[in-house]
Amino acid sequence: MPDMTGLRRTLHLWFAPRRVGEEGRTPDYRFSLANERTFLAWIRTALALVGGGFAVDQFLPHLRGWVRTALAVALLAVGALASLRAVNHWVRCERAMRRGEDLPASRFPTVLALVVGLLALCMLVVVVLGRGG
Amino acid sequence: MPASAPSPHERPARRDPGLQPERTRLAWRRTTLSCTVATVLAVRQALHRGVTPVSLAAVALCALVWLAFLAVAHRRTLALDTARPDRMRERGAATAVACAVCLAALGVALLF
């Protein structure tokens, strides 16, 4: 979890993004491009989750209303969160590379994997029970 | 022409042997395709319950989101067409993220 100074620094990054390009030394362009591709991969993950949210609502019409809505909202929310985190992580990696620091460690991938696994399990149970009952 | 005699007009050693700009360009293309799929699903969702003024507004918003993403991706793709491209700008990254968040918000709004 980010402490107070970390939070303040993040907010500062958000409201004065120009300064990222001013501090430290410009890294090898290949590192920046690799960082960009990682960002894009996270955006695709986020878009896939958002698409999954739409798909749950459209392609599982036999589910009870609130179950379907809950699953769809959960997927859409996780997708929005993943995309916000993608840009935050990209900025932080870019800044760490300019300063020559270690890349930021993150527990987001683990949490996301657990949440998606849990949602998939829920969906499986709900669909199988729906077919059976 | 046979490859044995490379013409002096071709760009030789300046090109990154790891093809990083090309790979990044393809990553943008993949992401554009993902955005297209998500947008199509959003449009389908909007028209789910028939054509109403609200659903048409939602479709218009989807089109706007898709065009915004397309513009960002296109500009970045052009910028990547050099041997040593500059880094991505914050505004482009923020726009791409805003597109995903807009689609998610629209999805939640359309559910209720």
Side-chain angles (χ1 to χ4, degrees), chain A residues 17 20-21 29-30 33 36-37 39-40 43-44 47 51 54 57-59 69 72-73 76 83 87 90 94, chain B residues 16 20 23-24 27-28 30-31 34-35 41-42 44-45 76 84 87-88 90 97 101 103-104 107-108 111:
Chain A
V20 177
Y29 74 100
R30 287 171 291 186
L33 289 184
E36 180 176 342
R37 288 196 298 276
F39 164 75
L40 289 173
I43 291 291
R44 286 196 295 279
L47 286 169
F54 287 127
D57 195 56
Q58 292 175 31
F59 299 115
T69 305
V73 168
L76 291 168
S83 67
V87 71
W90 171 75
E94 203 69 22
Chain B
D16 174 20
Q20 302 258 0
R23 281 157 62 194
T24 312
W28 271 105
R30 287 199 291 279
T31 314
S34 300
C35 187
L41 283 169
R44 201 172 176 276
Q45 180 88 20
R76 188 62 189 145
R84 283 172 183 273
R87 74 188 178 91
M88 176 170 62
E90 281 80 4
V97 168
V101 172
L103 282 180
V108 172
L111 283 174

Side-chain angles (χ1 to χ4, degrees), chain A residues 14 38-39 42-43 78-93 104-110 112, chain B residues 97 101:
Chain A
W14 276 106
T38 309
F39 164 75
W42 275 111
I43 291 291
V78 173
L81 201 68
S83 67
L84 288 174
R85 185 264 178 192
V87 71
N88 186 39
H89 192 72
W90 171 75
V91 170
R92 287 175 61 195
C93 284
S106 170
R107 68 182 70 138
F108 184 82
T110 314
L112 181 67
Chain B
V97 168
V101 172

